[in-house]
Amino acid sequence: MNSNYYAEILKEIEDLYIKGERSEADRLLANELHMPYIPSDVEKKLLELKDKYKKENDIRKSLDEDELYDYLLSGDDIKELIACNELDKMNLRDHHDIIQKYLLNAKNENARALLIASLIDQGIREEYKVVKDGIEYDFIPLYCDEVQVSDGYIEGFGFIDKTIANENISITKMAKSLLTKVCFDALPLSLSESEGLLYAKSIIIYIFDLLGDEKGKEIFMAKNIQDDDILIEKERLDEIFGA
């Protein structure tokens, strides 16, 4: 197996943990660790993931409500994520005030996006304020689109399926994963169809660049990029994806 496979599986496992899908993440991690051959650097990273999320799970089991609130407002990336994962399992209507306080001061963008997604999923009717990139937005979760039904998500995924899915499974999976992150990060806003399409195009090119596949990039651009397309710059995508 090549290094791309291992990079993808490590990212998939961590993404599952971040989304709170622990059983699936545990299953994939265990499968990889039981493979007859694992590169030593990959095995080290898998074991680090296992240890990291075991510790988080041990902490999570012991949190009472006051501790949960302290974690949420701690300003610590990991503690915020633990708190938001826990809140995702609760009736968020019972925690309105603390959630509102958090949304105005969140430090971990992934944790904030997860909590907003949970509010939308539960159809909360109360209005919230959130600060993103220094701008304050008002939103009512009930009236916000879930990521998977938003116009930008559907358009972007459709483009990926039409253009690259039959040619490169690895790039397809990576592109969909990165586009999903963009859509989650946008919450409580939603990408429009045109935004989703441009992000999809930009992400595929971004992945070709990461892989050093100049020929594949040229073929893809010749077939799918229009002269008037205003693509997302690599520096902006690096910022979004933490590269």
Side-chain angles (χ1 to χ4, degrees):
M1 293 183 185
N2 59 34
S3 60
N4 291 337
Y5 168 81
Y6 290 114
E8 290 169 23
I9 199 68
L10 284 165
K11 185 177 188 311
E12 183 175 0
I13 291 169
E14 185 147 31
D15 286 347
L16 286 167
Y17 276 124
I18 288 172
K19 293 174 187 176
E21 298 177 27
R22 298 189 60 83
S23 59
E24 179 62 12
D26 288 342
R27 185 188 68 78
L28 282 180
L29 194 150
N31 283 349
E32 290 304 313
L33 287 173
H34 283 88
M35 289 291 179
Y37 168 75
I38 314 170
S40 58
D41 60 326
V42 175
E43 182 178 25
K44 180 181 177 183
K45 290 176 182 177
L46 287 169
L47 291 171
E48 286 173 354
L49 278 177
K50 183 178 181 179
D51 184 57
K52 173 184 175 182
Y53 287 102
K54 181 182 183 303
K55 288 178 180 176
E56 287 185 17
N57 194 46
D58 291 342
I59 293 170
R60 187 179 291 114
K61 288 176 181 176
S62 64
L63 290 181
D64 60 25
E65 186 173 276
D66 288 339
E67 290 171 324
L68 179 64
Y69 289 174
D70 286 344
Y71 267 51
L72 188 65
L73 302 178
S74 67
D76 178 272
D77 279 0
I78 295 298
K79 288 182 177 180
E80 282 187 25
L81 193 54
I82 290 171
C84 289
N85 268 318
E86 279 303 285
L87 284 166
D88 180 57
K89 305 168 190 173
M90 300 178 181
N91 185 342
L92 298 180
R93 295 169 182 81
D94 298 334
H95 306 278
H96 179 277
D97 292 345
I98 195 71
I99 290 173
Q100 177 57 92
K101 186 174 182 179
Y102 169 69
L103 292 176
L104 291 173
N105 299 281
K107 303 298 182 186
N108 185 326
E109 294 182 1
N110 289 329
R112 179 185 64 201
L114 172 62
L115 187 53
I116 293 173
S118 300
L119 290 167
I120 294 170
D121 184 57
Q122 291 190 23
I124 306 297
R125 296 174 178 272
E126 288 80 12
E127 184 174 80
Y128 287 87
K129 297 179 184 293
V130 62
V131 174
K132 292 166 57 72
D133 301 321
I135 301 173
E136 184 175 289
Y137 298 92
D138 297 326
F139 72 102
I140 298 174
L142 177 65
Y143 302 124
C144 296
D145 287 335
E146 294 182 6
V147 163
Q148 63 270 26
V149 299
S150 65
D151 291 340
Y153 179 93
I154 293 170
E155 184 71 15
F157 265 56
F159 175 81
I160 293 168
D161 282 334
K162 285 187 295 185
T163 58
I164 202 75
N166 292 329
E167 299 174 14
N168 194 308
I169 295 175
S170 295
I171 291 180
T172 298
K173 288 180 66 177
M174 291 173 68
K176 287 184 175 181
S177 177
L178 294 179
L179 180 59
T180 299
K181 175 170 172 50
V182 169
C183 292
F184 267 103
D185 285 353
L187 293 173
L189 308 178
S190 297
L191 299 186
S192 66
E193 288 187 359
S194 59
E195 289 172 325
L197 181 58
L198 285 176
Y199 266 109
K201 291 181 177 183
S202 303
I203 285 169
I204 292 172
I205 293 169
Y206 178 78
I207 295 170
F208 275 123
D209 282 337
L210 288 179
L211 299 175
D213 186 352
E214 192 63 31
K215 184 64 175 177
K217 173 183 170 181
E218 289 176 2
I219 293 172
F220 172 80
M221 292 185 69
K223 289 181 179 178
N224 300 290
I225 304 303
Q226 311 303 317
D227 290 340
D228 58 350
D229 281 340
I230 303 175
L231 299 174
I232 314 301
E233 295 181 353
K234 177 182 182 299
E235 291 75 17
R236 174 56 183 153
L237 294 177
D238 280 341
E239 182 182 336
I240 293 171
F241 305 136

